[in-house]
Amino acid sequence: MKTIYFVTNNMGKVREAKALLEKLGIDAQQLAYEYPELQSDDLEEIAKYGAKHAAMHLKKPVIVEDAGLFISALNGFPGPYSSFTFKRIGNEGILKLMRDVKDRKAQFRSVVGYCAPGKETITFSGAVEGEISHEPRGRSGFGYDPIFLYGDRTFAQMSTEKKNEVSHRCIALRRFAEWLQKNNE
Ligand code: ITT
């Protein structure tokens, strides 16, 4: 089995990535290194910069992932500021902002950046469409999962396995795994 290092401090991401990549013959090992996050509106730029920095510093081929929740009625907020916003106002805060808002459309986006030391980062992206619920539901997953409706269930009402069939992260990671196999890195 091929080993790949996933640089992140988010255990929810690690759990999902491990479960998915294992099935594709890749062993994902977490490395909790805090790489500097570029201030940008663009997830791809953030992932590119983070992966390059982490690969250089750790001297290993790594992946990093930048993800976010983009809410249509809020012009894409929290988007690239999802992590900060979640820590400050959480799901209750988002539901307050969305009180009486009819248009509930939202998208989760993920960009995975892969970088080997001395090389340029290659990125893979994924997105999933859903809606913001009116109240939090479910206990699995992490972050905004309890308020992200996919069909009639929130992501927090799905098992990791079910979420991995449709999520932004699993689309991006599958694209990465396909590329890795083809390029035999
Ligand atoms: P690392 O940078 O260490 O990987 P992080 O949590 O800061 O961890 P991001 O910068 O990518 O990760 O922040 C994305 C935030 O968006 C994350 O903290 C969650 O609050 C939210 N998020 C991303 N993907 C999610 C998912 O699948 N389910 C629920 N919330 C998610």
Side-chain angles (χ1 to χ4, degrees), residues 16-73:
E16 291 175 15
K18 263 187 175 298
L20 178 87
L21 292 175
E22 202 164 76
K23 288 190 181 155
L24 303 172
I26 301 167
D27 169 39
Q29 291 286 337
Q30 183 206 9
L31 281 179
Y33 166 67
E34 193 104 21
Y35 56 86
E37 273 210 9
L38 193 71
Q39 282 301 311
S40 165
D41 275 356
D42 185 348
L43 298 187
E44 190 170 337
E45 269 186 42
I46 302 171
K48 257 191 180 157
Y49 179 83
K52 183 133 196 194
H53 180 95
M56 211 161 66
H57 182 86
L58 299 165
K59 301 186 174 59
K60 286 182 169 56
V62 299
I63 54 171
V64 306
E65 188 221 18
D66 203 54
L69 176 68
F70 294 73
I71 302 176
S72 297

Side-chain angles (χ1 to χ4, degrees), residues 6-14 16 30-35 37 43 46 64-69 78-87 91 108-111 128 141-146 148 155-156 163 167-169:
F6 186 7
V7 182
T8 178
N9 290 301
N10 183 324
M11 291 314 290
K13 289 183 176 183
V14 175
E16 291 175 15
Q30 183 206 9
L31 281 179
Y33 166 67
E34 193 104 21
Y35 56 86
E37 273 210 9
L43 298 187
I46 302 171
V64 306
E65 188 221 18
D66 203 54
L69 176 68
Y81 313 106
S82 291
S83 188
F84 176 81
T85 305
F86 187 78
K87 283 182 204 140
N91 288 328
F108 264 131
R109 291 185 205 154
S110 158
V111 178
V128 59
F142 66 96
Y144 300 107
D145 282 344
F148 187 83
F155 268 3
K163 183 180 169 188
S167 83
H168 52 314
R169 177 163 305 105

Side-chain angles (χ1 to χ4, degrees), residues 79-154:
Y81 313 106
S82 291
S83 188
F84 176 81
T85 305
F86 187 78
K87 283 182 204 140
R88 287 300 166 103
I89 66 169
N91 288 328
E92 290 304 329
I94 296 287
L95 291 179
K96 260 191 211 154
L97 291 174
M98 292 294 286
R99 195 184 288 154
D100 301 326
V101 175
K102 285 241 158 57
D103 174 10
R104 315 287 303 177
K105 280 196 299 296
Q107 199 182 45
F108 264 131
R109 291 185 205 154
S110 158
V111 178
V112 168
Y114 169 81
C115 191
K119 299 225 176 122
E120 288 306 313
T121 306
I122 302 170
T123 56
F124 306 88
S125 40
V128 59
E129 307 279 342
E131 283 181 6
I132 300 300
S133 63
H134 288 275
E135 70 287 309
R137 272 199 259 145
R139 289 174 174 278
S140 47
F142 66 96
Y144 300 107
D145 282 344
I147 61 164
F148 187 83
L149 273 172
Y150 182 82
D152 57 1
R153 283 188 300 164
T154 66

